[in-house]
Amino acid sequence: MPRPQPLLSFEVDTSGQDTSLKHEDFDTEVQRSWYHYLPLCLLVFLMVAPYPSLLIVLVNHYLRTLDKPIAFVIHFLVTCTLNFLAFTSLLVCVTRDPGPVYFDASDQDPIDQNEDMGLAEALMTRGNTDDDCSPDKFCRKCWVPKPERAHHCSICGRCVLKMDHHCPWLGAKCIGHRTYPAFVHFLTCITAYSAYVTTISISAVRWSFNNPLLVLDQATPVHELLLAAAGVIFTLVVGSFLVYHIYLITTNQTTVEALSPFLLLRYIPPLPVSMRLSDPPIEDELSYNQRRAVRDAHRFVRMYDVGWRRNWAQVFGWSKPRGWIYLLLIGGTGNGDGRSFPRNPRSQGMLSQLAARLEKEA
């Protein structure tokens, strides 16, 4: 059994080597195996699989049968463009870090870097309770600074800034502050691509049934039916996810926050000591009536809802002159550093009412 290491050590390193913490020390992800990428490979296959049938329908129906080269070119360019945009946002989701929680030494004040801090000063608690380095802002699983709205992913084994959810379809990676705009952009492109293919396929199927003697071969209507069926399925499935995330963006919530009502316990005012609850309270410590009160409040309390315009600007806003290009290609990038967010000014009053109800139900 290995010897346990102390949490605090006063040993001085005289080797002269740099012992400062790097971001690799904070964000150590679980190594993925080959089978973790199987859903991603299946997703890529589903994105390119319809193209043979789509080309058959476009060539045989719109070009050879109807003799409409302009319609053929328009349909071909639109489908290729939507699929290309979907691949660009998919590439961003797979390759970009969703949101590291480490600190960059260059962001610190140069004066603070050069000053030596005494032992008494180092052990003193800072006056700013919102500091990411305060003891209550550390993750108790990976022991890294845990900024506001950051969550620990047990599958990836790390904390993610403004974590939305863990997606096995995107290379078993999390969707966080840096990849959420690309994720919504991907859902939008796939939904638009599926709906467009469905529309042109159903139109071709209707024409083939009304003019059976003018159909060039028997295989083309089969391709039209398969494309229409697949398009309807993907439009409904992916489109439902898109509608849900549109709702989340409008109300400034993440999937974790929307599905976890007891996250509100992190923000409620301190409760009386006589209740004998932790600070903040833990779900397991609450009674049935208190848990029901938290669930009821979760339907109305929107901690970060600052109006739908500002909510959308936090996700898709840009500050560069040509930021709309990034928005069009990959969904843009979220505003801010992903560590602090403006809060709804009415939420504090609602949280005070929730604290009073918890005290009443004790």
Side-chain angles (χ1 to χ4, degrees):
M1 181 177 180
R3 182 180 178 182
Q5 299 294 328
L7 296 179
L8 182 62
S9 176
F10 295 95
E11 295 181 0
V12 179
D13 183 15
T14 59
S15 61
Q17 298 179 357
D18 184 14
T19 59
S20 59
L21 292 177
K22 307 297 190 302
H23 66 85
E24 292 85 356
D25 301 326
F26 287 128
D27 293 328
T28 303
E29 293 192 35
V30 176
Q31 295 296 328
R32 298 179 178 84
S33 302
W34 61 271
Y35 54 83
H36 288 108
Y37 297 96
L38 290 179
L40 177 61
C41 296
L42 178 59
L43 176 62
V44 174
F45 172 77
L46 293 176
M47 293 175 63
V48 299
Y51 264 95
S53 297
L54 180 61
L55 288 176
I56 292 175
V57 172
L58 292 179
V59 172
N60 290 346
H61 179 72
Y62 289 95
L63 194 60
R64 298 176 60 187
T65 303
L66 299 182
D67 193 18
K68 294 183 177 180
I70 297 180
F72 166 80
V73 172
I74 292 176
H75 294 327
F76 181 76
L77 291 179
V78 171
T79 52
C80 288
T81 301
L82 291 176
N83 213 11
F84 170 77
L85 295 177
F87 269 107
T88 58
S89 53
L90 175 62
L91 184 64
V92 172
C93 292
V94 173
T95 59
R96 177 181 289 180
D97 191 299
V101 297
Y102 64 86
F103 289 106
D104 190 356
S106 60
D107 295 338
Q108 300 178 357
D109 192 351
I111 299 178
D112 295 338
Q113 294 181 7
N114 296 329
E115 291 182 352
D116 294 332
M117 181 179 295
L119 176 61
E121 298 178 41
L123 297 179
M124 290 177 61
T125 303
R126 294 188 179 185
N128 184 10
T129 57
D130 293 334
D131 185 12
D132 290 343
C133 288
S134 59
D136 57 335
K137 293 295 184 67
F138 268 76
C139 177
R140 299 187 179 183
K141 295 182 180 179
C142 56
W143 293 105
V144 299
K146 193 173 184 179
E148 193 174 10
R149 305 184 79 177
H151 295 278
H152 181 88
C153 177
S154 58
I155 301 177
C156 294
R158 55 165 291 186
C159 284
V160 178
L161 293 178
K162 195 184 176 183
M163 176 181 171
D164 187 83
H165 68 284
H166 180 88
C167 186
W169 292 95
L170 303 180
K173 297 192 65 174
C174 289
I175 302 299
H177 172 70
R178 299 180 62 193
T179 56
Y180 185 70
F183 175 74
V184 177
H185 181 269
F186 175 76
L187 294 181
T188 304
C189 294
I190 291 296
T191 303
Y193 172 70
S194 302
Y196 195 86
V197 171
T198 301
T199 302
I200 62 178
S201 300
I202 291 178
S203 177
V205 168
R206 292 181 57 186
W207 190 94
S208 299
F209 275 99
N210 294 331
N211 305 276
L213 300 179
L214 300 179
V215 178
L216 293 180
D217 54 16
Q218 298 179 354
T220 300
V222 176
H223 289 284
E224 296 168 355
L225 286 173
L226 292 177
L227 283 178
V232 169
I233 294 174
F234 278 96
T235 301
L236 294 178
V237 173
V238 182
S240 61
F241 281 102
L242 176 61
V243 172
Y244 178 65
H245 281 279
I246 290 176
Y247 160 75
L248 293 180
I249 296 174
T250 305
T251 57
N252 206 334
Q253 298 182 87
T254 63
T255 302
V256 174
E257 295 167 350
L259 300 180
S260 304
F262 293 97
L263 288 178
L264 290 178
L265 297 176
R266 298 181 178 181
Y267 309 103
I268 64 173
L271 298 174
V273 182
S274 59
M275 297 180 64
R276 297 181 179 180
L277 297 177
S278 303
D279 187 17
I282 304 175
E283 176 185 356
D284 297 337
E285 300 175 343
L286 303 181
S287 63
Y288 171 79
N289 291 332
Q290 290 174 328
R291 295 182 184 181
R292 185 174 179 179
V294 174
R295 292 191 181 96
D296 293 340
H298 180 257
R299 295 182 297 175
F300 305 100
V301 179
R302 299 288 182 262
M303 287 295 304
Y304 304 98
D305 187 1
V306 291
W308 68 271
R309 291 180 182 272
R310 294 180 62 186
N311 294 341
W312 278 83
Q314 286 184 20
V315 179
F316 295 105
W318 65 84
S319 56
K320 298 180 180 179
R322 298 182 179 179
W324 62 271
I325 299 179
Y326 299 98
L327 179 63
L328 180 63
L329 292 179
I330 62 174
T333 55
N335 284 339
D337 57 359
R339 298 179 181 275
S340 60
F341 302 89
R343 293 188 180 183
N344 184 353
R346 296 177 298 177
S347 62
Q348 193 61 35
M350 297 180 180
L351 291 175
S352 300
Q353 296 178 5
L354 174 60
R357 184 176 176 184
L358 292 178
E359 185 178 358
K360 181 179 179 182
E361 298 291 347

